[in-house]
Amino acid sequence: MHYNKNEQKTLAWLNGAHYINDIYTGFLNPIMPFIAEQVKISMPIATIILSCSHIFSSLLQPYFGFFADKIKKRAFVFWGLILTASFISLVPSCINIKTMVLCIILGSLGSSLFHPQALGFVVKFSTSNVAKNMGIFIAMGTLGYSMGPLLSSTIAQYFGLDKMPTLALLGVIWASLMFLCVPKFSHIETQTARIQLKQAFVDILSNRKLNILNIIAMLKSLITTSCSILLPFLWKAQGYSKLQIGLAMFCFLLLGGIASLISPKLEKKLGTANVFYISMITTFPMMLLFMFTYEKIPVISFLIYILMGFVTMFATPITMSMAQKVLPQYKSIIGGFINGFSWGIVAIAMSVIGYIAQATSIVPVLVAISTIPAICSILVKKLFTTTNNS
């Protein structure tokens, strides 16, 4: 292909952009209890606001993926990163809820713009070993997402919430440099057939194998999202500092990134189905152990928590690469479904889960949530007995 000599360079820029973009998407969770205190809102309201963030950054991704597949422009990867960096960085300095929500929506829309086109680009530029390149790309995003809590909590702890807008420079500078280094569409192969939004959605939503993969993606994001949103409120109530909360979330997400990076290699040794089973079943016993240790043996509960990050994200790159092979003409749209739509649906559920956790208790709610992927692991068998056209 024409772009072989630039393949690794382009993938490196896209991986770096994914890392930086997801730093910003990981900013808010560890410091949200302190932002909530600043703007005087309760945990359920804060959960709804964070859910809105996930909805705007995730639920719209299939639509942006459609336009990314259809238009011959690179704009989404640049402007998406710039919007994310600029507006998410402003959120911690907001002193009223209206401004905060507006910044969250605009920053989240940037992330929603960025991801589908970037995911499609990874496939377009991977002349060989798509699974490996997808694993690296997803791992870089997860590593960035893990760095976000550590960076935001450190700045908040030592410099204050009002100093965080300066962090927008990182994303704006990278996006500007990337504009010069990622090839234009005229230099890469594109899907020549006209893609129709309605037909694309009908094809995707009527495909049984894709439906199963979407459900699996939703269940895994349910664990990640509920832990990321609810546990910081639990830890703040226990007296932990911003930095301690950020460090815990950093380790949780860092191990998730490592899991994404090594899962293609382990898939060859363990088998694809076993990777799915490990990812879906093991979080339930781990969450039970967390419940019995977080008060009396916090060090053990911390280790259990970060191991949950590893197993939860273990199957993420395999889920994505398998889904994009089902209907390869819709790479970006499917990327939007697996990486975005599933998170958006979970975000809607989180707005209700926040109220339940407030009314009852956070940890038992998390234990109940962790049973759902374990029960639904029966879907894995159906995944491997379903043809692409089913």
Side-chain angles (χ1 to χ4, degrees):
M1 295 185 185
H2 181 78
Y3 52 82
N4 262 348
K5 62 181 181 180
N6 293 321
E7 177 183 327
Q8 293 305 315
K9 177 183 176 182
T10 302
L11 288 172
W13 279 102
L14 291 170
N15 289 335
H18 196 200
Y19 176 80
I20 291 170
N21 183 86
D22 285 17
I23 284 177
Y24 296 104
T25 60
F27 258 27
L28 299 180
N29 288 331
I31 59 173
M32 194 61 189
F34 304 93
I35 299 173
E37 188 176 53
Q38 178 175 276
V39 296
K40 298 178 174 58
I41 55 175
S42 64
M43 185 184 79
I45 299 299
T47 303
I48 290 175
I49 291 171
L50 286 175
S51 298
C52 287
S53 170
H54 288 295
I55 289 168
F56 281 97
S57 67
S58 305
L59 203 59
L60 297 175
Q61 282 195 30
Y63 294 96
F64 290 134
F66 163 74
F67 290 110
D69 277 337
K70 193 176 179 68
I71 66 172
K72 296 182 179 180
K73 300 287 184 183
R74 308 167 298 158
F76 288 4
V77 290
F78 307 127
W79 287 109
L81 179 54
I82 288 171
L83 282 172
T84 304
S86 300
F87 287 101
I88 295 299
S89 297
L90 288 171
V91 172
S93 62
C94 293
I95 57 173
N96 66 75
I97 190 170
K98 290 181 180 178
T99 307
M100 181 179 72
V101 170
L102 178 63
C103 288
I104 285 176
I105 289 172
L106 291 174
S108 300
L109 283 173
S111 187
S112 196
L113 276 171
F114 171 83
H115 279 100
Q117 188 170 66
L119 284 161
F121 272 22
V122 171
V123 178
K124 283 181 170 73
F125 283 103
S126 297
T127 54
S128 61
N129 213 338
V130 176
K132 177 184 176 182
N133 289 332
M134 185 61 70
I136 294 171
F137 179 79
I138 290 174
M140 290 299 289
T142 307
L143 291 172
Y145 192 58
S146 70
M147 183 57 67
L150 184 61
L151 185 59
S152 65
S153 61
T154 301
I155 299 297
Q157 180 78 35
Y158 294 108
F159 300 100
L161 295 172
D162 60 326
K163 298 297 189 297
M164 292 184 65
T166 56
L167 295 173
L169 287 172
L170 175 63
V172 173
I173 291 171
W174 190 272
S176 302
L177 292 173
M178 189 169 59
F179 182 80
L180 302 173
C181 300
V182 174
K184 295 181 180 179
F185 260 95
S186 58
H187 295 156
I188 58 178
E189 293 183 359
T190 56
Q191 180 68 33
T192 55
R194 292 180 63 84
I195 297 174
Q196 299 298 323
L197 180 62
K198 182 179 178 181
Q199 187 60 48
F201 274 59
V202 168
D203 290 346
I204 291 169
L205 294 174
S206 62
N207 189 288
R208 189 181 180 192
K209 191 167 186 176
L210 281 176
N211 285 336
I212 294 172
L213 287 166
N214 267 317
I215 291 170
I216 290 172
M218 287 180 198
L219 295 173
K220 290 191 279 95
S221 66
L222 178 64
I223 299 294
T224 304
T225 306
S226 57
C227 285
S228 298
I229 291 178
L230 296 179
L231 284 178
F233 284 92
L234 173 73
W235 289 325
K236 181 178 183 294
Q238 288 184 293
Y240 290 101
S241 69
K242 301 180 186 74
L243 186 57
Q244 288 173 317
I245 296 171
L247 182 62
M249 295 194 67
F250 164 73
C251 293
F252 173 83
L253 297 167
L254 176 65
L255 258 69
I258 293 171
S260 296
L261 194 60
I262 67 174
S263 73
K265 292 182 179 179
L266 291 179
E267 179 192 9
K268 295 176 183 178
K269 295 181 179 180
L270 301 174
T272 306
N274 288 330
V275 171
F276 280 110
Y277 283 126
I278 291 169
S279 185
M280 297 179 74
I281 294 173
T282 54
T283 48
F284 172 58
M286 285 183 175
M287 196 68 80
L288 277 176
L289 287 172
F290 181 86
M291 181 174 68
F292 291 118
T293 57
Y294 80 96
E295 288 183 311
K296 296 182 179 179
I297 322 175
V299 174
I300 300 297
S301 72
F302 168 76
L303 293 174
I304 294 166
Y305 169 69
I306 62 174
L307 282 174
M308 279 193 286
F310 183 91
V311 297
T312 301
M313 301 178 212
F314 191 34
T316 302
I318 298 169
T319 307
M320 179 65 73
S321 60
M322 185 180 288
Q324 289 187 319
K325 288 176 183 176
V326 176
L327 295 172
Q329 67 270 35
Y330 303 133
K331 296 182 186 75
S332 296
I333 304 176
I334 290 172
F337 268 97
I338 299 295
N339 190 65
F341 187 78
S342 61
W343 285 79
I345 295 297
V346 168
I348 294 172
M350 282 304 304
S351 60
V352 177
I353 291 170
Y355 277 98
I356 296 172
Q358 176 80 12
T360 56
S361 184
I362 290 174
V363 177
V365 167
L366 290 175
V367 172
I369 288 171
S370 69
T371 63
I372 302 172
I375 293 169
C376 293
S377 62
I378 58 171
L379 290 172
V380 175
K381 186 176 181 180
K382 293 184 179 181
L383 181 63
F384 291 93
T385 57
T386 302
T387 63
N388 287 353
N389 295 324
S390 296

